[in-house]
Amino acid sequence: MTDSTIAIIGGTGLTSLNGLEITRREVMHTPYGEPSGPITHGVLAGREVMFLARHGYGHTIPPHRINYRANLWALKNAGISRVVAVAAVGGITAEMYPPRIVFPDQIIDYTWSRGHTLFEEDLSHVTHVDFTEPYCSELRQCLLASARSIGLDAHDGGTYAATQGPRLETRAEVDRLERDGCDVVGMTGMPEAGLARELGLGYATCAVVANWAAGRGEGAGEISMEDVEKNVSEAMVNVRRLLEAVIPTM
């Protein structure tokens, strides 16, 4: 067991963490199968942290095939208590333009057939967890304050729509998401946030707006993967700056 308490889960564009002084890699086996990869232990900005690439270190695991239960169980049992989850999203509302960073405060789950709970086998009683506020307010405020301290264009709040993937959404689907009150759309926000709550982990998402969602933005044509990659690459420079700023404050 390590005395590190902070984990960073990297999404699209963040399969490794520049500046992390790696001390060791730990292979974990869980009751829910294999995680996305070994947990990387290291030092970032003077603090011990752990890092896990959500899609695998080669970015080979699609959103609907990620073993979210194994990932969160492994991190918890490695000794962490807080998780900063980095994820690429599409912008729906006008304030969610690429390549902005967003710290959502609500989430709506549109996924299906994913292992979404730890409480389903060999139970002594039925367990419910409160999910009124799905993200840790304290951790969100740390992220927001650090983003502002280094001059990042970051947005406080918004509702994350978690869709199944791996395909992108239709224009009509995005219209529905906006009617439902969603501001950004991604494919990995759930069940990750819910599992973190079941495990008692402080969890917050650092969402990078990689593109306008379908039917949004100037021209509102087909989504260009070249533009997505460009925006993600630009934004991840800022994410790495943010992580180096926020880790010492946590």
Side-chain angles (χ1 to χ4, degrees):
M1 182 74 69
T2 174
D3 60 0
S4 175
T5 62
I6 304 165
I8 299 160
I9 298 178
T12 298
L14 193 67
T15 55
S16 62
L17 196 56
N18 291 350
L20 178 67
E21 300 174 21
I22 298 173
T23 55
R24 65 189 175 97
R25 291 183 173 88
E26 183 178 10
V27 175
M28 299 283 286
H29 302 287
T30 86
Y32 304 98
E34 299 304 306
S36 295
I39 296 173
T40 300
H41 296 254
V43 177
L44 181 68
R47 290 287 302 276
E48 288 192 18
V49 301
M50 299 181 201
F51 178 79
L52 180 64
R54 184 186 290 114
H55 296 278
Y57 291 96
H59 200 267
T60 56
I61 308 172
H64 66 297
R65 297 298 298 273
I66 293 168
N67 193 337
Y68 297 94
R69 292 191 294 187
N71 286 351
L72 272 295
W73 190 97
L75 289 171
K76 169 75 172 183
N77 281 268
I80 66 100
S81 61
R82 288 165 289 180
V83 178
V84 175
V86 181
V89 298
I92 297 175
T93 54
E95 292 182 313
M96 305 301 175
Y97 48 81
R100 200 173 201 193
I101 291 175
V102 180
F103 305 117
D105 59 358
Q106 281 295 323
I107 193 164
I108 299 178
D109 188 5
Y110 299 92
T111 66
W112 67 89
S113 300
R114 299 183 180 190
H116 67 280
T117 181
L118 304 172
F119 299 122
E120 61 181 7
E121 299 288 345
D122 302 319
L123 301 180
S124 59
H125 60 278
V126 175
T127 303
H128 303 284
V129 296
D130 178 71
F131 206 47
T132 305
E133 303 297 334
Y135 300 106
C136 173
S137 175
E138 181 182 359
L139 191 48
R140 284 187 63 258
Q141 291 308 312
C142 282
L143 287 163
L144 184 63
S146 293
R148 289 174 173 169
S149 74
I150 59 174
L152 294 187
D153 178 20
H155 184 81
D156 180 14
T159 297
Y160 179 123
T163 58
Q164 180 73 354
R167 69 164 177 83
L168 299 177
E169 301 73 31
T170 69
R171 179 167 46 82
E173 287 171 332
V174 173
D175 289 343
R176 182 190 67 161
L177 297 179
E178 186 168 23
R179 289 194 299 270
D180 286 352
C182 299
D183 299 283
V184 295
V185 56
M187 301 174 187
T188 59
M190 286 293 286
E192 194 172 270
L195 292 165
R197 180 60 52 85
E198 289 185 350
L199 289 165
L201 302 174
Y203 177 96
T205 288
C206 174
V208 172
V209 183
N211 56 277
W212 285 108
R216 301 298 185 270
E218 185 177 352
E222 292 186 3
I223 296 171
S224 164
M225 291 300 109
E226 290 184 3
D227 288 344
V228 170
E229 291 172 5
K230 175 179 177 294
N231 289 330
V232 167
S233 178
E234 178 181 337
M236 286 305 164
V237 173
N238 288 330
V239 168
R240 291 184 175 96
R241 289 177 57 214
L242 171 61
L243 293 173
E244 290 178 356
V246 75
I247 290 297
T249 73
M250 293 167 61

